[in-house]
Amino acid sequence: MKFFVDTADVAAIAELNETGMVDGVTTNPSLIKKSGRDILEVTREICSIVSGPVSAEVTATDAETMVAEGRKLVEIAGNIAVKVPLTWDGLKACKVLSAEGHMVNVTLCFSANQALLAAKAGATFISPFIGRLDDINLDGMELIQDIRTIYDNYGFETQILAASIRTANHIVDCARIGADVITAPPAVIKAMVTHPLTDKGLEVFLADIKSAGIKIV
Ligand code: E4P
């Protein structure tokens, strides 16, 4: 399973990257706004840190302008994935950009039918939003399972990029289902390491190290 980091915070990306946990990055207009930086400048900096796919989202709503924006975004670096919304125009832009050999991430997916359309339009990644479905009392994980089944039924190569991840449990559930990629905020990825028995066990070991005077270097 690949781990993408869902942020435009360069320092947080660099820190996680040191552990070898970063296979890619996803950004969106809200994350760019939060960074307070110019989209082209911050995306370029992220691409200089991470070698895997870095998703950068178009701002237009018509296919022609989305394609123009996508062509500009891919000039930033060879690892840009153009992010387009799951609208009819987004699908048209996806078709054009993927035919030109660019990676395309179709975002804001909330149904299996939408995911089916994105695969047929040649998307590299489909981004189903788990947390936002859970927020309205629907089952985000059920959507991941449905897309996995449908893509496997027909051998679609579009990768399931599980997005809008809010908890470490979302990540392990995605892994059980077989999502290809998860994208999560740095804090959620870091939360995966925590277990109270690890903390308790380490506390005892540290006490024994101290009382026995155990030393290695
Ligand atoms: C994915 O590409 C999106 O940027 C992101 O996962 C959205 O998450 P949110 O619903 O927590 O804003």
Side-chain angles (χ1 to χ4, degrees):
M1 173 184 253
K2 289 179 215 152
F3 278 16
F4 288 3
V5 193
D6 199 26
T7 185
D9 179 339
V10 175
I13 293 167
E15 191 203 347
L16 272 177
N17 197 41
E18 279 173 17
T19 62
M21 296 296 166
V22 182
D23 299 304
V25 172
T26 51
T27 64
N28 64 35
S30 306
L31 294 170
I32 296 292
K33 181 182 168 194
K34 196 172 166 193
S35 78
R37 298 185 56 188
D38 171 72
I39 180 171
L40 300 179
E41 179 200 289
V42 74
T43 307
R44 190 171 296 112
E45 195 174 339
I46 294 169
C47 290
S48 73
I49 300 170
V50 175
S51 54
V54 174
S55 290
E57 189 157 343
V58 299
T59 63
T61 53
D62 66 285
E64 196 183 339
T65 317
M66 282 187 210
V67 169
E69 289 183 340
R71 287 178 182 147
K72 180 159 182 179
L73 289 170
V74 297
E75 282 173 9
I76 294 175
N79 55 335
I80 287 287
V82 181
K83 212 172 179 191
V84 299
L86 217 159
T87 59
W88 206 250
D89 279 76
L91 293 172
K92 283 187 200 166
C94 173
K95 184 77 190 157
V96 173
L97 291 165
S98 51
E100 290 176 1
H102 306 305
M103 289 187 285
V104 181
N105 175 358
V106 180
T107 191
L108 291 169
C109 171
F110 294 95
S111 79
N113 269 339
Q114 290 180 320
L116 186 50
L117 290 172
K120 289 187 74 66
T124 316
F125 301 104
I126 181 69
S127 289
F129 277 37
I130 297 169
R132 294 192 196 187
L133 282 168
D134 291 354
D135 287 346
I136 58 163
N137 298 320
L138 294 174
D139 189 344
M141 213 50 71
E142 191 175 274
L143 175 60
I144 304 296
Q145 180 64 74
D146 282 351
I147 301 172
R148 180 74 283 155
T149 302
I150 290 166
Y151 281 9
D152 288 350
N153 281 349
Y154 297 98
F156 285 120
E157 286 177 10
T158 299
Q159 296 178 53
I160 301 173
L161 198 179
S164 188
I165 285 195
R166 307 274 170 78
T167 66
N169 280 348
H170 277 157
I171 298 177
V172 75
D173 286 343
C174 284
R176 284 195 189 99
I177 291 169
D180 302 284
V181 192
I182 57 92
T183 189
V188 176
I189 293 177
K190 282 183 163 181
M192 292 170 73
V193 79
T194 310
H195 196 289
L197 290 179
T198 305
D199 296 343
K200 202 174 158 194
L202 186 59
E203 208 177 292
V204 173
F205 288 157
L206 288 175
D208 290 342
I209 287 166
K210 197 173 173 194
S211 61
I214 302 169
K215 204 166 180 270
I216 297 172
V217 287

